[in-house]
Amino acid sequence: MATPAKKTAQRQGFKTGEHIIYPSHGVGLITAIEEQTVAGYSLELLVIDFEQDKMTLRVPVAKIASVGMRKLSDASTVKKSLETIAGKPRVKRTMWSRRAQEYEAKINSGDLISTAEVVRDLYRSDSQPEQSYSERQLYEAALDRMAREIAAVQKQTDTEAIRQIEGVLSTSPGRAAKVAPATDSEGGGQEEAA
C-alpha cells in the first residue's frame, strides 16, 4: 500500500511548478515531489501532470536520467528548431513502414530538433499531394509535441505556437523549390533522371 509522506520542493534540479519534457509524453508540469512507501521501500517520486492528455505520472527520482526526462529547451534551441523546419524536406526513398518507425522514434526521443525534422519532412502545403492517414497522424503528433514545448518556453498558447510553426513552414524558401517538381512528376514523386 502506497502512503504519501512529506512533500518537498526540489530534487535533482527539478522543482514543483516547473514544466519538463518527458520523452514519450511531451510537456508536463511537476505538481509535487512526494515520498511514498511502497512494499516496504521508501521512494521519492516526481508527480507530473500532463494536462492535455488528462494524465498524471509518478516518476521515481532515481529514474529521472534513465527515462530521459529533461528541462524545457532554451530560446536558442527553439530558434534552431524553427530554422530546421524552414529547411528543405529530407525524405528517404525507403519503405513507408521503415520511415514511420524512424519518425515515431524521433517524436518519442523528446528532442525538439528531432521532432522539428519530422514536422519539416511531413508537412504538406495546399499545392502538394495529400498525405496518407498515417503520415497525417505522425505529422500532427510531431506538430503537437513541438508546439507544446515552444508554447511553454515562449509562454504563449499552443494555438499561437502552431500558427508560428505553420507560418515558418509555409514561407520557407526550401518549400518553394519542392512544390514545382512535385506537380510535374508522375509515379509517386520520384525525380526524373537527366
Side-chain angles (χ1 to χ4, degrees):
M1 182 92 190
T3 57
K6 64 179 182 175
K7 290 191 176 189
T8 55
Q10 183 169 350
R11 286 290 178 272
Q12 291 191 7
F14 293 99
K15 58 184 183 270
T16 55
E18 176 180 35
H19 283 92
I20 55 88
I21 300 296
Y22 192 89
S24 56
H25 300 294
V27 177
L29 176 67
I30 299 174
T31 56
I33 301 174
E34 301 176 343
E35 218 173 273
Q36 292 187 352
T37 303
V38 180
Y41 292 99
S42 180
L43 290 174
E44 281 189 314
L45 304 168
L46 293 178
V47 181
I48 305 167
D49 183 43
F50 297 90
E51 186 180 322
Q52 222 165 10
D53 297 333
K54 294 177 178 39
M55 176 178 73
T56 300
L57 194 62
R58 285 177 166 73
V59 179
V61 170
K63 296 279 187 184
I64 290 173
S66 65
V67 298
M69 198 171 99
R70 67 172 174 83
K71 292 186 176 284
L72 289 176
S73 298
D74 56 17
S76 66
T77 305
V78 168
K79 184 177 184 236
K80 189 171 193 279
S81 73
L82 292 171
E83 289 169 359
T84 299
I85 64 171
K88 188 174 180 182
R90 296 184 187 137
V91 180
K92 295 179 183 174
R93 300 281 182 219
T94 58
M95 289 178 52
W96 168 245
S97 60
R98 170 85 48 153
R99 282 187 289 144
Q101 287 176 339
E102 289 173 9
Y103 290 144
E104 190 80 39
K106 283 183 174 188
I107 293 168
N108 289 328
S109 71
D111 180 58
L112 184 60
I113 304 301
S114 293
T115 305
E117 290 171 357
V118 176
V119 170
R120 174 197 65 203
D121 294 347
L122 291 179
Y123 171 75
R124 294 283 186 275
S125 68
D126 293 336
S127 62
Q128 290 178 306
E130 279 191 40
Q131 292 174 307
S132 69
Y133 177 76
S134 56
E135 279 181 307
R136 186 80 187 153
Q137 292 296 105
L138 283 171
Y139 170 74
E140 288 175 359
L143 179 63
D144 181 59
R145 284 279 173 87
M146 186 177 179
R148 282 197 217 174
E149 184 164 0
I150 289 174
V153 170
Q154 296 181 345
K155 299 187 183 349
Q156 61 186 14
T157 66
D158 290 355
T159 306
E160 290 170 330
I162 288 172
R163 268 194 227 116
Q164 179 183 8
I165 293 166
E166 288 179 338
V168 171
L169 285 167
S170 64
T171 59
S172 69
R175 295 278 161 200
K178 188 73 177 164
V179 173
T183 57
D184 291 341
S185 67
E186 292 182 29
Q190 301 211 351
E191 296 178 23
E192 296 177 18

